[in-house]
Amino acid sequence: MSIARLPAFLEAKISGEIRRFPLENERAFRIGRSDKNDIVLSDDLASRSHAMLQQSGDGTVYLTDLGSSNGTFVNGVRVSAPVILRPRDQVRIGNHEFVFHQELGTEPQSEELDELQSTNIFLAQSLITVFVADIRDFTGWGRRVDAETLSRMTGKLFREAGRVLHARGAWAQKYIGDAIMAVWLHKRREPDLEEFIAVFEALARLTELVDGLQAHFDLDAPVRFGVGINSGWASVGNVGSIAASDYTALGDVVNRAFRLESATKEIPCDLAMGQGAYDFLRHFMDPSAVFEPRTVRLKGYDEPATAFVAKLPSLPEVLRILNRSLDTKS
């Protein structure tokens, strides 16, 4: 006898109607604002790709926050790493409350699992640097530019951004709507100089790509984007099946990177760096020559935070100083 893959579902009131959402065995089940999710929420407090649930081979259901803006809460507690759900647990996403249900019981089950259906949840604590780059006023572009041009523009950006990030050693990259998220894993308890150079080289190259979109597509205005960058410890690894692996990083360091990017619209600035990345950068240069400290309110956080802000045209100066430090080191 072995534990069965137990029937499980979420229950919630959506648009005034009580609805049940069955969780299929092994398949990742996603919640968010984007119409690509299994549960699509019309909720300004929900992120486009907000949270994911998945049932493992032994019937355990894991809930994972996907770096959402305002957090995912289980029984009133914000989660920053995958958690196991229990029957009657209450899950809050934005303005929506879900109740988790799962039948209890056991039944015979074959010991042989289809390799493509087996679930893998491999997470480890690693030091990372993450940046989030988001196209400014993407909704406005959608109103001014025909759908075909907008599709070709974002396709070119994401395709070439993927090459740039891969060439500079990004461990993972995601494309969430009009945003790009890239993650670098650091080998030690603090980043090497070469690793930080790779991050800023990627940012500089992405800036060149975005700057070239206006001329390439004959647009009526330049395309702009904002960037949030942060360093710290996170849970990183593979969540999903062998057929559909999702390499991701989870934790406060990722959440803050998204919030820092959003803050660039309010400050205003092009680039907002978190305290963790700033402290590591101080090992290699005096960042105050480029970055200015600003006190900001990050959405979803009670206490104000310090962001270190700069304009994207300053990136060549950062790279010049870092490369000079590398030459001295050599």
Side-chain angles (χ1 to χ4, degrees), residues 250-300:
L250 307 164
D252 185 66
V253 61
V254 179
N255 296 338
R256 282 183 179 267
F258 277 90
R259 300 281 58 74
L260 286 164
E261 186 283 318
S262 294
T264 63
K265 304 167 190 174
E266 306 297 331
I267 294 174
C269 66
D270 298 327
L271 170 63
M273 179 184 295
Q275 186 72 57
Y278 186 86
D279 288 344
F280 284 129
L281 193 58
R282 290 170 61 185
H283 295 316
F284 314 121
M285 63 175 287
D286 176 10
S288 65
V290 177
F291 294 91
E292 175 189 350
R294 298 285 294 273
T295 300
V296 296
R297 287 279 182 179
L298 299 181
K299 192 174 181 180

Side-chain angles (χ1 to χ4, degrees), residues 17-35:
E17 177 187 357
I18 299 295
R19 298 179 59 186
R20 289 186 174 185
F21 303 93
L23 307 178
E24 298 179 15
N25 294 335
E26 306 288 355
R27 188 176 71 83
F29 188 92
R30 297 174 181 270
I31 305 173
R33 285 203 329 269
S34 167
D35 59 10

Side-chain angles (χ1 to χ4, degrees), residues 171-185:
W171 167 78
Q173 48 188 280
K174 290 177 179 289
Y175 303 91
I176 308 167
D178 56 313
I180 300 170
M181 169 184 161
V183 178
W184 280 261
L185 294 183

Side-chain angles (χ1 to χ4, degrees), residues 2 30 35 75 82 92 141 153 171 189 222 228 231 233 290 299 301 305 319:
S2 61
R30 297 174 181 270
D35 59 10
N75 300 326
R92 179 164 60 85
W141 280 111
M153 182 181 80
W171 167 78
R189 298 189 67 84
S231 298
W233 291 87
V290 177
K299 192 174 181 180
Y301 290 86
L319 282 169

Side-chain angles (χ1 to χ4, degrees), residues 128-134 161 164-165 170 172 174 180-184 198-204 206 225-230 257-258 261 271:
I128 69 168
T129 292
V130 54
F131 77 64
V132 178
D134 194 22
V164 167
L165 296 171
K174 290 177 179 289
I180 300 170
M181 169 184 161
V183 178
W184 280 261
V199 173
F200 282 99
E201 281 183 343
L203 278 175
L206 284 180
F225 74 133
V227 179
I229 183 170
N230 203 18
F258 277 90
E261 186 283 318
L271 170 63

Side-chain angles (χ1 to χ4, degrees), residues 193 197 319-330:
L193 175 56
I197 289 175
L319 282 169
R320 186 186 67 80
I321 297 172
L322 292 179
N323 280 306
R324 188 173 61 190
S325 297
L326 184 61
D327 292 340
T328 302
K329 178 181 174 183
S330 302

